[in-house]
Amino acid sequence: ADAKTLRLPIEETPIVPWEEDLSKWVKVEYAENGDVTETFQAAIDAAAERGATTVYLPKTRGKGKGEYQLSGPIRVHGSINRIIGMNNLVKVEKTSKFNRDKAVFTFENLKDDTFVIERFFQIGGWDRPNVLAFENKTDATIVVRNANLTIPTKAKQPGGTWFFEDVSPGRHRPLAIGKGERVFARQFNPESPKPTMVHVNGGTFWCLGFKTEGRATHVMAENRAKVEILGGVSYQSWSKQKIDPPMFIFDNCQASFTLGFYSSRQPFSTYVKET
């Protein structure tokens, strides 16, 4: 093979201008018990009703109040084009409203072409392996920025486009990319004790800055997928990981990557398995 990358088309992260009219900012009211499911949905509904664009969570961490909690899914719709987490922690509670593969945030009937959700210290909790962070039911492009996710990021969405900037995705299941779907990631930090970190099934994954932790497979790509990783470090820092899968698994696809390796305890035995 030629000693060059795939040189996939690169797209810059779409810019959604900040809303300068503060009357179009809507605050999520804090609940005394911490569960803001109803007030969060009410803020979104109120924003959509009056044509507001920005919903935000006031800063609570370090202010004498606890973390935000969600006991049910949130439907994001209408005129909103940005949710700002203000570096808060949002914990997903164990309730029957979060059945398997039910998303915390579902995007529906958005008026704008691009939606941004950003600045969350954490979304999830450590024991919710079957709750997705996001589901996109629109044609809008979704931008996730400055966020730490401890639940699975998203299901595969054929034909959709996502941008991730400075994001650590959930470790329970891989970031799933479907047929025709495109994901552009910059400073992407997946960590996993066992599940594959990124699974590209017929789509495209382009990444600038790919930092990992864990001995799990970093990327599995198949069905004519295209993968290009430009720079980063594979960091096997965790001890007592008995698994030793290939770092990359490529099956009937195209891929190129350039990154460094750092293994303080257990390096991979196989870097690439190709079919």
Side-chain angles (χ1 to χ4, degrees), residues 107-115 136-142 157-162 182:
F107 307 109
E108 299 179 350
N109 301 319
L110 295 173
K111 290 186 177 181
D112 283 6
D113 295 333
T114 304
F115 185 91
N136 186 17
K137 293 184 177 180
T138 75
D139 293 330
T141 294
I142 306 298
Q157 180 205 358
T161 302
W162 294 72
R182 302 183 306 155

Side-chain angles (χ1 to χ4, degrees), residues 176-190:
I177 302 172
K179 183 178 180 180
E181 188 174 14
R182 302 183 306 155
V183 170
F184 297 89
R186 292 170 170 88
Q187 183 44 39
F188 197 61
N189 181 196

Side-chain angles (χ1 to χ4, degrees), residues 164-182:
F164 294 96
E165 284 192 345
D166 186 29
V167 171
S168 179
R171 63 178 59 192
H172 297 290
R173 280 192 285 162
L175 168 67
I177 302 172
K179 183 178 180 180
E181 188 174 14
R182 302 183 306 155

Side-chain angles (χ1 to χ4, degrees), residues 16-28 42-56 76-83 109-112 114-115:
V16 176
W18 285 95
E19 179 58 72
E20 297 183 359
D21 182 354
L22 295 185
S23 69
K24 293 185 178 180
W25 287 55
V26 181
K27 177 176 68 174
V28 176
I44 291 173
D45 294 345
E49 184 175 353
R50 69 172 196 246
T53 61
T54 304
V55 171
Y56 70 98
V76 183
H77 62 99
S79 55
I80 303 168
N81 59 25
R82 190 188 306 268
I83 292 177
N109 301 319
L110 295 173
K111 290 186 177 181
D112 283 6
T114 304
F115 185 91

Side-chain angles (χ1 to χ4, degrees), residues 70-127:
L70 290 175
S71 59
I74 302 298
R75 176 176 172 262
V76 183
H77 62 99
S79 55
I80 303 168
N81 59 25
R82 190 188 306 268
I83 292 177
I84 309 174
M86 298 293 188
N87 203 35
N88 283 296
L89 189 154
V90 177
K91 184 178 181 182
V92 178
E93 297 296 322
K94 286 186 176 181
T95 71
S96 60
K97 294 181 180 180
F98 285 118
N99 297 321
R100 181 175 179 85
D101 291 334
K102 189 71 174 180
V104 177
F105 295 100
T106 298
F107 307 109
E108 299 179 350
N109 301 319
L110 295 173
K111 290 186 177 181
D112 283 6
D113 295 333
T114 304
F115 185 91
V116 179
I117 183 165
E118 62 181 338
R119 306 189 189 197
F120 283 87
F121 177 80
Q122 186 184 109
I123 298 176
W126 296 105
D127 55 356

Side-chain angles (χ1 to χ4, degrees), residues 48-69:
E49 184 175 353
R50 69 172 196 246
T53 61
T54 304
V55 171
Y56 70 98
L57 286 75
K59 179 72 172 176
T60 64
R61 300 181 68 243
K63 296 290 186 179
K65 293 182 179 179
E67 63 199 17
Y68 287 98
Q69 300 171 30

Side-chain angles (χ1 to χ4, degrees), residues 4 7 24-25 28 38 43 46 51 56 74 82 85 91 128 137 144 173 176 186 197 210 218 240 242 245 264:
K4 63 181 182 181
R7 302 187 183 187
K24 293 185 178 180
W25 287 55
V28 176
E38 292 185 5
Y56 70 98
I74 302 298
R82 190 188 306 268
K91 184 178 181 182
R128 304 311 318 276
K137 293 184 177 180
V144 184
R173 280 192 285 162
R186 292 170 170 88
M197 298 179 189
F210 187 71
H218 289 9
K240 300 180 181 179
K242 296 181 180 179
S264 60

